[in-house]
Amino acid sequence: MPRIALVTCRPGPRVSVDRDLPVLARALADAGASVSVEVWDDAGVDWAAFDLVLIRSTWDYSWRADEFTAWAERCGGATRLANPAAVVRWNTDKRYLADLAAAGVPTVPTRYAAPGESPALPDGHEYVVKPTSGAGARFAARYTPGEHATAVRQVERMHAEGFTAMVQPYMRAIDTAGERALQFFGGRLLHASRKGAVLAPGTPYDARKVAHPGLEPWTPTAAEVAVAEAALAAVPGAAEPLYARVDLVDGDDGRPRVMELELVEPNLFLWLHERSLPRVVEAVLEAAR
């Protein structure tokens, strides 16, 4: 009987509820696994007691990225961690977009400003400012060139809290074509979803946003699948991620680009794609063996 830990975080006002977690735990137990739901920063958990530790909804990690990656290193040294600690470490900082771009993957153009550096803010088009370590659009906002002073204040606030800022052009096609999320599990495309724009004009960067507005099932195009697979092929290291979500938007040329590559704790949206549950269970059990 494989022993599997599904890893989450402590509940709190800034943390969403993982609707998939109890469903996945029950399905794995029904398939013959010994399943335990654990909190990643619980010092009392013996991670070596599990055959597989599967990161699921550790949705507070971006507030404590260094602590989280240190935990991943310890856990990965004690048992099999999915995704592996090296993948987790690389993916917790969105400067990985530069690595993808260098590998020839179409990405949203991005500039970075670490604490102590002045950001180069556009003066001819709308843009987005957000931290390189973040989730759920936390500390993200959309600006026009006329809102330069407000954007600077946001960057100053993020720098004061130790975050590196990233600046991207606002991808206008989001307002019409939305953002597509292609989910992979066990090395194969699992399902895809589409959602509407998250960042409305004038919404303060420190306001809580709806992370997945208007989420619906989506049939990905061949071009979207090709870009997603290129992004996964560019992930450094020998170990293939067990799970991945590739978030795509269209550029002004109508071609898909990677906005984010989620390899740490992506929402699986199994509540929207119920028929994907057996494939996830199969892949998790195989990884645990």
Side-chain angles (χ1 to χ4, degrees), residues 9-17 59-60 63 208:
C9 63
R10 302 177 192 278
R14 298 184 295 181
V15 178
S16 300
V17 175
W59 292 337
D60 63 348
W63 284 279
R208 186 162 186 176

Side-chain angles (χ1 to χ4, degrees), residues 94-233:
K94 292 184 176 65
R95 280 176 283 198
Y96 65 73
L97 287 170
D99 296 337
L100 297 182
V105 179
T107 61
V108 175
T110 308
R111 292 181 289 190
Y112 304 93
E117 298 176 346
S118 298
L121 300 177
D123 58 8
H125 56 78
E126 280 191 287
Y127 58 94
V128 171
V129 177
K130 59 186 177 182
T132 56
S133 179
R138 182 174 65 91
F139 271 9
R142 169 181 172 183
Y143 294 105
T144 65
E147 296 172 302
H148 178 90
T150 306
V152 168
R153 285 195 295 271
Q154 175 185 342
V155 173
E156 290 173 345
R157 165 77 181 279
M158 289 193 296
H159 282 176
E161 297 196 19
F163 291 108
T164 292
M166 52 193 293
V167 181
Q168 299 174 318
Y170 183 74
M171 308 302 285
R172 295 174 296 177
I174 295 178
D175 294 333
T176 53
E179 178 180 332
R180 283 85 71 200
L182 276 62
Q183 197 88 47
F184 292 78
F185 217 102
R188 297 186 296 164
L189 179 66
L190 183 66
H191 55 241
S193 313
R194 181 174 68 172
K195 68 179 182 181
V198 174
L199 300 179
T203 301
Y205 69 90
D206 52 358
R208 186 162 186 176
K209 291 93 173 175
V210 177
H212 306 290
L215 193 70
E216 62 182 359
W218 175 253
T219 301
T221 66
E224 290 168 352
V225 173
V227 171
E229 290 178 342
L232 294 178

Side-chain angles (χ1 to χ4, degrees), residues 86-87 90 232-241:
V87 172
W90 177 77
L232 294 178
V235 175
E240 180 181 66

Side-chain angles (χ1 to χ4, degrees), residues 43-102:
V45 178
D46 178 12
W47 301 106
F50 299 101
D51 300 303
L52 175 69
V53 175
L54 180 65
I55 301 174
R56 284 309 325 123
S57 44
T58 56
W59 292 337
D60 63 348
Y61 90 84
S62 62
W63 284 279
R64 306 153 62 192
D66 290 343
E67 184 180 349
F68 180 76
T69 53
W71 165 81
E73 295 282 0
R74 293 193 304 272
C75 184
T79 187
R80 179 170 187 191
L81 176 68
N83 280 328
V87 172
V88 169
R89 188 189 324 109
W90 177 77
N91 195 235
T92 53
D93 190 321
K94 292 184 176 65
R95 280 176 283 198
Y96 65 73
L97 287 170
D99 296 337
L100 297 182

